[in-house]
Amino acid sequence: MARRPLPSILSTRPALVRGRDLARTAADGAGDVLHPVITIARGMRRQASWAGGWWGRTPKDRRGPALLLAVAAVVIVAMMPYGPILGIAALVASAAWMGRDRAATAPAGPTEAEGVRLQSLYEALVPYLSDAGDPAPLYAHDGGWDRAFSSYEFQDGRLMRLHLRYPAYFTDGEADSRARVEQLLHAKAGRGREYRFDWNEEENHLTLTTLPPLPTDIVAQRFVTSPGETVLGFTDTDTVQRTLPVAVPAGEEGDGDQPATRDAPPVVWRTGARSTEPHLLALGQPGTGTTSLLRSIALQALVHGDVVVVDGSGTGEYACLAGRPGVLAVEDGLLGASATLEWAAHETERRLIAVNRARQAGNPVAEDVRRPLWIVVDRPTALTQLALAEGRPDPQALLDVPLRHGRTANVAVAVADQLDATEALAPVVISQTRARVVLGPLAPEHVQAVLGAPQRTTPAGDVPPGRGYARLGTGPVLRLQVPATPDPFDEEAPAAHRSAVLALLPSDGAPLSTPTPPEPERNSTPETVTLRKDAVVRTVADLELG
């Protein structure tokens, strides 16, 4: 039996296909013809979006002048010959430029060399981040790095950043386990650079970041700080919440003879009655910059307070401060240092009594008590050895009162010494200095012993003078670069650095004397007598000399 042909209504599919193709072809042709119009419309939409965002970011007090300036520009263009035509042409041209297709190129994968390095790093982590009982190990000898490494970044063929995942059973809470992984990554990523390791124990992530070297071109200068704030040095941008404008010498980043100015993240040490770490201890090997740090602190302290300097090394590193206004004493001998520290202890007691009486009476504290007093002591252990040899009391014992009660009396103590002499430091110096600085090339365990917390970065390959770590109280351990503050009388120091220090020294003049309170009236509460430093020095020296 012959088959009957299908109805025509059931055999129109080829016609539908042809119509769809014709419509798609027409749409493509229309898109090609109207492409300039579409581009210009897209550009105008982006211009309008940019103008709206700019208007929203503009402060309200500046919107009126900005609107007036825009209207004036439109009027000027309209009054020019062919102005409207040229204005419209410029607007269309800018819209066409902003509306062009910006097809972002897909990020290319790693090169062959980068892939080999990532695979090598992945295989090196297998023994540390795998377990034989894991049914689906994230790290396996036959696995691929793309499962464990979520992001990476290379620069000039060297690894700059790596974000990796690790299994939940890895003991990331143990310092030894973390140290082994960090040591491996440090070796595989390349020695000679500093790396920071950020452990996310909650999500089992680890981020390795290559840190740029800290700048060494910042010299001593007047920093923009408030009273009670001292800049110890500068650190990484993402570890502190503020920056300061600093000037760098000409030839570094400046043009001609004018110094350049840039923003740098500082490590700010706060002192005073509300500070939780009012005293500082800096340790380091000879030549690492501890004396420069104390010299920088003294120069900043002279802006708002008085300074007493005790140089136990006796090398004359602080001779530039002698006789300057605000510098009450610069002593480098055993007798003078002991007398000066004894005066500082009595001055602290006097300030404590004055503060207590002023608070009980409801009166403001006297100006001479509010003015900060800084006690800068360099190498006190050298004085201790001299005192023991001569059978005299340890001068460090005289720091007990300023260290324990200096916070209330507005007295700050900054001590610096060598690492090999830490056993000779008095217990009160170690217990009362909550701001710590360690300078020089040191092993991580030594840094942790001084600062009380492990460093988050690997040791630096090149350690210039003034380079180290700082920790304020219970805060994090920060990388630190002390501003260059050499002795201005040191002819081997760069001339620009010595000139910067000389510019910060107060002008020569008569030393500031401590004001004496007025005579007490009869039938009134007796006031304490102000102790004068020169009298105390003469009296103690006469008694000691017999």
Side-chain angles (χ1 to χ4, degrees), residues 309-322:
V309 180
V310 175
D311 184 10
S313 61
T315 57
E317 292 284 346
Y318 303 91
C320 60
L321 298 174

PDB file of all heavy atoms in Angstrom, residues 309-322:
ATOM      1  N   VAL A 309      69.964  62.857  79.580  1.00  0.00           N
ATOM      2  CA  VAL A 309      70.674  61.831  78.826  1.00  0.00           C
ATOM      3  C   VAL A 309      71.786  61.255  79.689  1.00  0.00           C
ATOM      4  O   VAL A 309      72.586  62.011  80.270  1.00  0.00           O
ATOM      5  CB  VAL A 309      71.250  62.390  77.507  1.00  0.00           C
ATOM      6  CG1 VAL A 309      71.994  61.301  76.748  1.00  0.00           C
ATOM      7  CG2 VAL A 309      70.142  62.975  76.642  1.00  0.00           C
ATOM      8  N   VAL A 310      71.830  59.938  79.774  1.00  0.00           N
ATOM      9  CA  VAL A 310      72.898  59.211  80.462  1.00  0.00           C
ATOM     10  C   VAL A 310      73.513  58.256  79.452  1.00  0.00           C
ATOM     11  O   VAL A 310      72.845  57.333  78.974  1.00  0.00           O
ATOM     12  CB  VAL A 310      72.371  58.450  81.686  1.00  0.00           C
ATOM     13  CG1 VAL A 310      73.480  57.600  82.300  1.00  0.00           C
ATOM     14  CG2 VAL A 310      71.806  59.418  82.718  1.00  0.00           C
ATOM     15  N   ASP A 311      74.784  58.492  79.112  1.00  0.00           N
ATOM     16  CA  ASP A 311      75.489  57.690  78.122  1.00  0.00           C
ATOM     17  C   ASP A 311      76.474  56.790  78.844  1.00  0.00           C
ATOM     18  O   ASP A 311      77.558  57.230  79.263  1.00  0.00           O
ATOM     19  CB  ASP A 311      76.208  58.606  77.130  1.00  0.00           C
ATOM     20  CG  ASP A 311      76.891  57.829  76.010  1.00  0.00           C
ATOM     21  OD1 ASP A 311      76.642  56.611  75.897  1.00  0.00           O
ATOM     22  OD2 ASP A 311      77.670  58.441  75.256  1.00  0.00           O
ATOM     23  N   GLY A 312      76.108  55.526  78.995  1.00  0.00           N
ATOM     24  CA  GLY A 312      76.978  54.603  79.697  1.00  0.00           C
ATOM     25  C   GLY A 312      78.195  54.199  78.898  1.00  0.00           C
ATOM     26  O   GLY A 312      79.202  53.781  79.469  1.00  0.00           O
ATOM     27  N   SER A 313      78.138  54.310  77.580  1.00  0.00           N
ATOM     28  CA  SER A 313      79.296  53.913  76.770  1.00  0.00           C
ATOM     29  C   SER A 313      80.435  54.909  76.870  1.00  0.00           C
ATOM     30  O   SER A 313      81.597  54.562  76.677  1.00  0.00           O
ATOM     31  CB  SER A 313      78.877  53.756  75.304  1.00  0.00           C
ATOM     32  OG  SER A 313      78.386  54.990  74.785  1.00  0.00           O
ATOM     33  N   GLY A 314      80.103  56.182  77.156  1.00  0.00           N
ATOM     34  CA  GLY A 314      81.141  57.193  77.317  1.00  0.00           C
ATOM     35  C   GLY A 314      81.854  57.571  76.051  1.00  0.00           C
ATOM     36  O   GLY A 314      82.998  58.043  76.088  1.00  0.00           O
ATOM     37  N   THR A 315      81.214  57.394  74.909  1.00  0.00           N
ATOM     38  CA  THR A 315      81.858  57.703  73.627  1.00  0.00           C
ATOM     39  C   THR A 315      81.494  59.081  73.094  1.00  0.00           C
ATOM     40  O   THR A 315      81.942  59.449  72.017  1.00  0.00           O
ATOM     41  CB  THR A 315      81.466  56.640  72.593  1.00  0.00           C
ATOM     42  OG1 THR A 315      80.043  56.580  72.484  1.00  0.00           O
ATOM     43  CG2 THR A 315      81.998  55.272  73.000  1.00  0.00           C
ATOM     44  N   GLY A 316      80.680  59.831  73.823  1.00  0.00           N
ATOM     45  CA  GLY A 316      80.317  61.171  73.378  1.00  0.00           C
ATOM     46  C   GLY A 316      79.326  61.203  72.242  1.00  0.00           C
ATOM     47  O   GLY A 316      79.320  62.162  71.454  1.00  0.00           O
ATOM     48  N   GLU A 317      78.480  60.163  72.121  1.00  0.00           N
ATOM     49  CA  GLU A 317      77.495  60.124  71.038  1.00  0.00           C
ATOM     50  C   GLU A 317      76.418  61.180  71.200  1.00  0.00           C
ATOM     51  O   GLU A 317      75.727  61.511  70.230  1.00  0.00           O
ATOM     52  CB  GLU A 317      76.858  58.736  70.982  1.00  0.00           C
ATOM     53  CG  GLU A 317      77.784  57.625  70.551  1.00  0.00           C
ATOM     54  CD  GLU A 317      78.042  57.652  69.049  1.00  0.00           C
ATOM     55  OE1 GLU A 317      77.295  58.352  68.339  1.00  0.00           O
ATOM     56  OE2 GLU A 317      78.995  56.990  68.608  1.00  0.00           O
ATOM     57  N   TYR A 318      76.235  61.714  72.399  1.00  0.00           N
ATOM     58  CA  TYR A 318      75.183  62.700  72.656  1.00  0.00           C
ATOM     59  C   TYR A 318      75.764  64.065  72.981  1.00  0.00           C
ATOM     60  O   TYR A 318      75.093  64.906  73.590  1.00  0.00           O
ATOM     61  CB  TYR A 318      74.297  62.226  73.806  1.00  0.00           C
ATOM     62  CG  TYR A 318      73.669  60.877  73.568  1.00  0.00           C
ATOM     63  CD1 TYR A 318      74.311  59.702  73.984  1.00  0.00           C
ATOM     64  CD2 TYR A 318      72.450  60.758  72.916  1.00  0.00           C
ATOM     65  CE1 TYR A 318      73.749  58.456  73.745  1.00  0.00           C
ATOM     66  CE2 TYR A 318      71.885  59.518  72.684  1.00  0.00           C
ATOM     67  CZ  TYR A 318      72.541  58.370  73.104  1.00  0.00           C
ATOM     68  OH  TYR A 318      71.978  57.137  72.868  1.00  0.00           O
ATOM     69  N   ALA A 319      77.014  64.310  72.578  1.00  0.00           N
ATOM     70  CA  ALA A 319      77.632  65.601  72.864  1.00  0.00           C
ATOM     71  C   ALA A 319      76.924  66.743  72.151  1.00  0.00           C
ATOM     72  O   ALA A 319      76.970  67.889  72.609  1.00  0.00           O
ATOM     73  CB  ALA A 319      79.104  65.569  72.467  1.00  0.00           C
ATOM     74  N   CYS A 320      76.236  66.445  71.051  1.00  0.00           N
ATOM     75  CA  CYS A 320      75.534  67.504  70.322  1.00  0.00           C
ATOM     76  C   CYS A 320      74.371  68.064  71.114  1.00  0.00           C
ATOM     77  O   CYS A 320      73.896  69.170  70.832  1.00  0.00           O
ATOM     78  CB  CYS A 320      75.048  66.975  68.976  1.00  0.00           C
ATOM     79  SG  CYS A 320      73.903  65.581  69.098  1.00  0.00           S
ATOM     80  N   LEU A 321      73.893  67.334  72.131  1.00  0.00           N
ATOM     81  CA  LEU A 321      72.756  67.799  72.936  1.00  0.00           C
ATOM     82  C   LEU A 321      73.195  68.607  74.149  1.00  0.00           C
ATOM     83  O   LEU A 321      72.349  69.241  74.789  1.00  0.00           O
ATOM     84  CB  LEU A 321      71.926  66.605  73.404  1.00  0.00           C
ATOM     85  CG  LEU A 321      71.277  65.746  72.319  1.00  0.00           C
ATOM     86  CD1 LEU A 321      70.611  64.527  72.939  1.00  0.00           C
ATOM     87  CD2 LEU A 321      70.263  66.554  71.529  1.00  0.00           C
ATOM     88  N   ALA A 322      74.454  68.581  74.510  1.00  0.00           N
ATOM     89  CA  ALA A 322      74.915  69.255  75.723  1.00  0.00           C
ATOM     90  C   ALA A 322      74.726  70.764  75.609  1.00  0.00           C
ATOM     91  O   ALA A 322      75.088  71.384  74.603  1.00  0.00           O
ATOM     92  CB  ALA A 322      76.377  68.924  75.978  1.00  0.00           C
TER      93      ALA A 322
END
